[in-house]
C-alpha cells in the first residue's frame, strides 16, 4: 500500500483535523469536500491550528510551511485515485455516507483501503455499498483530532486481517493509539460514556444531588477532568439524546432509555453550550 499519499473526504471538524495530523506525520494529503466554502473553512482551520502550535513553540515556522504544503484541497473525487488510504469523515447521514463509499470505491485503486470515521453507522453496512468490503474499516477519531490520542479501529464483518493490520500501522504512524473494537453501536467509548452521562441526568432528575454537586462528585471522587453534566453540555444534549435513542433501538435493551429530563431539555431548546444553556449557563 502506498502510504505516502492519503485522501480525506469531508473538510469539517474531523476531516481537517485528520488531514492536519496526517500531514504532520509526513504524508501527502488530498482533502475532498463537495462544498468549496467548507473546503476553504477547513483549510483555514488547519492554518489556525498550526499557527497556535507555532505560538506555543511546539512547531517551527519552517515545519509549519512544510506541513501546510503537504495538504491540498479539492472538490473532485477523482483526486483520490492515487491514495493508498482514504478516510471518509463527511456528514453523519447513512444515505450520504453510502453514496460517498460507493463513489470513493469506484475511483480508488483496487488495493487501497477505505476507512470511515462514522460515530454511529454500521461499518459492515457501509462496506456493503462498495466492492471492497474486506478493505473497509472503521477509524473513529476523537475531537479535537490534533489533541486526542485515541482512535477506535473497528472491524466490519468482512474486514480482512491485513486491512486491520495496515490501518493499525497508519494510526501508529500518525502518533495515535489504536484499540480494536467490534462493530457494535457506540463502539467502546460512547457505549460506556453516554450511559454514564445519562445516569447522571437520572440522578439529577431524582434529586440525588444538585447539578454542580453531581459534577464535583465525579471530578473529585473518580478523578475525571470534567463532570458528566458539563460534558453533556459540551457534546450537545440533542446529540446525546440521539445516541441514547440509537442504543435503545439497536440493542433493544431498556437499560439504554434516555432520561426523561434529557428529552424535556432538548424539547425546550436547552442543548448545552451551543444554545447558551444546558445543565449550566454559558455566556
Ligand atoms: N465532531 C465530533 O466530535 C466527531 C467525533 C468523532 C467522529 N465524528 C464523525 O466524523 C464525521 C464528520 O463529523 P464532523 O463533526 O467533522 O462534521 P462536519 O459537519 O464538521 O463536517 C462534515 C463535512 O462533510 C462535507 N460533506 C458532506 N457531504 C459530502 C460528500 N458527499 N462528499 C464530501 N464531503 C461531504 C460537508 O460539506 C462538511 O464540510 C461524522 O461521521 C461524525 O459522526 C465526529
Amino acid at each position: 500500500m502506498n502510504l505516502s499519499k492519503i485522501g480525506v473526504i469531508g473538510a469539517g471538524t474531523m476531516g481537517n483535523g485528520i488531514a492536519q495530523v496526517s500531514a504532520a506525520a509526513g504524508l501527502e494529503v488530498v482533502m475532498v469536500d463537495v462544498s468549496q466554502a467548507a473546503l476553504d473553512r477547513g483549510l483555514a482551520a488547519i492554518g489556525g491550528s498550526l499557527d497556535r502550535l507555532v505560538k506555543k513553540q511546539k512547531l517551527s515556522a519552517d515545519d509549519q510551511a512544510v506541513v501546510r504544503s503537504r495538504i491540498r484541497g479539492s472538490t473532485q473525487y477523482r483526486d483520490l485515485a492515487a491514495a493508498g488510504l482514504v478516510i471518509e469523515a463527511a456528514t453523519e447521514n447513512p444515505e450520504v455516507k453510502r453514496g460517498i463509499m460507493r463513489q470513493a470505491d469506484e475511483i480508488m485503486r483496487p488495493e487501497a483501503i477505505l476507512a470511515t470515521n462514522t460515530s454511529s453507522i454500521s461499518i459492515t453496512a457501509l462496506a456493503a455499498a462498495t466492492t471492497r468490503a474486506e478493505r473497509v474499516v472503521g477509524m473513529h477519531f476523537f475531537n479535537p483530532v490534533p489533541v486526542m490520542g485515541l482512535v477506535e479501529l473497528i472491524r466490519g464483518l468482512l474486514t480482512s486481517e491485513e486491512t486491520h493490520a495496515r490501518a493499525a500501522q497508519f494510526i501508529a504512524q500518525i502518533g495515535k493509539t489504536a484499540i480494536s473494537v467490534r462493530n457494535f453501536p457506540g463502539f467502546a467509548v460512547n457505549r460506556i460514556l453516554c450511559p454514564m452521562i445519562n445516569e447522571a441526568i437520572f440522578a439529577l432528575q431524582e434529586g440525588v444531588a444538585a447539578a454542580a454537586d453531581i459534577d464535583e462528585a465525579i471530578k473529585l471522587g473518580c478523578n475525571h477532568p470534567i463532570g458528566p453534566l458539563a460534558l453533556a453540555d459540551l457534546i450537545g444534549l440533542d446529540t446525546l439524546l440521539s445516541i441514547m435513542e440509537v442504543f435503545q433501538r439497536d440493542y433493544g435493551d431498556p437499560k439504554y432509555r434516555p432520561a426523561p429530563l434529557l428529552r424535556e431539555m432538548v424539547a425546550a431548546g436547552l442543548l448545552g453550550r451551543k444554545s447558551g444553556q444546558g445543565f449550566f449557563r454559558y455566556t
Side-chain angles (χ1 to χ4, degrees):
M1 181 169 73
N2 178 4
L3 254 195
S4 59
K5 285 197 178 73
I6 73 153
V8 175
I9 301 175
T13 312
M14 300 306 287
N16 73 59
I18 296 166
Q20 181 186 327
V21 298
S22 303
L27 298 161
E28 295 289 327
V29 182
V30 58
M31 183 166 74
V32 172
D33 202 293
V34 278
S35 147
Q36 183 63 49
L39 207 51
D40 292 343
R41 276 195 303 276
L43 291 168
I46 294 171
S49 172
L50 294 174
D51 280 346
R52 285 192 293 280
L53 291 175
V54 171
K55 278 203 190 90
K56 288 183 190 158
Q57 299 188 327
K58 289 185 175 169
L59 188 73
S60 73
D62 285 352
D63 287 347
Q64 174 186 29
V66 172
V67 171
R68 182 60 192 79
S69 73
R70 291 190 188 120
I71 304 168
R72 191 160 62 89
S74 169
T75 54
Q76 303 298 323
Y77 272 68
R78 63 170 178 267
D79 288 334
L80 299 168
L85 166 70
V86 171
I87 303 167
E88 172 291 306
T91 311
E92 185 78 356
N93 171 306
E95 266 316 300
V96 171
K97 293 246 198 244
R98 269 196 291 272
I100 289 172
M101 298 297 281
R102 206 174 305 123
Q103 247 182 301
D105 179 49
E106 280 169 12
I107 281 153
M108 288 165 61
R109 298 206 313 249
E111 72 278 16
I113 291 176
L114 178 52
T116 170
N117 186 43
T118 179
S119 302
S120 65
I121 305 167
S122 160
I123 308 303
T124 304
L126 288 177
T130 74
T131 59
R132 65 179 75 220
E134 68 283 7
R135 282 183 303 286
V136 171
V137 70
M139 264 189 208
H140 190 229
F141 288 80
F142 290 80
N143 183 18
V145 178
V147 175
M148 302 296 281
L150 182 70
V151 180
E152 291 180 301
L153 186 53
I154 305 115
R155 283 187 176 88
L157 193 67
L158 298 176
T159 306
S160 72
E161 276 313 307
E162 189 189 348
T163 297
H164 184 272
R166 286 177 166 183
Q169 200 183 350
F170 163 77
I171 292 165
Q173 191 178 346
I174 60 169
K176 306 285 184 201
T177 300
I179 59 153
S180 293
V181 189
R182 283 173 60 201
N183 184 36
F184 282 100
F187 310 132
V189 171
N190 283 340
R191 167 85 178 263
I192 296 163
L193 179 65
C194 295
M196 194 268 292
I197 297 172
N198 191 48
E199 192 61 30
I201 302 170
F202 269 113
L204 177 68
Q205 176 187 306
E206 290 165 20
V208 171
D213 288 340
I214 287 173
D215 272 18
E216 202 68 352
I218 299 301
K219 282 198 298 188
L220 299 182
C222 303
N223 246 353
H224 288 200
I226 182 171
L229 300 175
L231 185 54
D233 283 352
L234 194 66
I235 293 170
L237 270 53
D238 49 345
T239 303
L240 184 67
L241 176 59
S242 68
I243 293 171
M244 292 308 299
E245 284 172 340
V246 168
F247 287 3
Q248 187 182 28
R249 185 194 69 205
D250 290 0
Y251 287 111
D253 187 331
K255 76 177 177 179
Y256 295 114
R257 73 196 186 284
L261 176 60
L262 174 60
R263 271 192 200 290
E264 204 177 357
M265 288 179 71
V266 171
L270 304 179
L271 305 181
R273 280 180 184 267
K274 62 183 159 191
S275 72
Q277 193 182 340
F279 296 104
F280 303 100
R281 279 178 191 281
Y282 304 88
T283 48

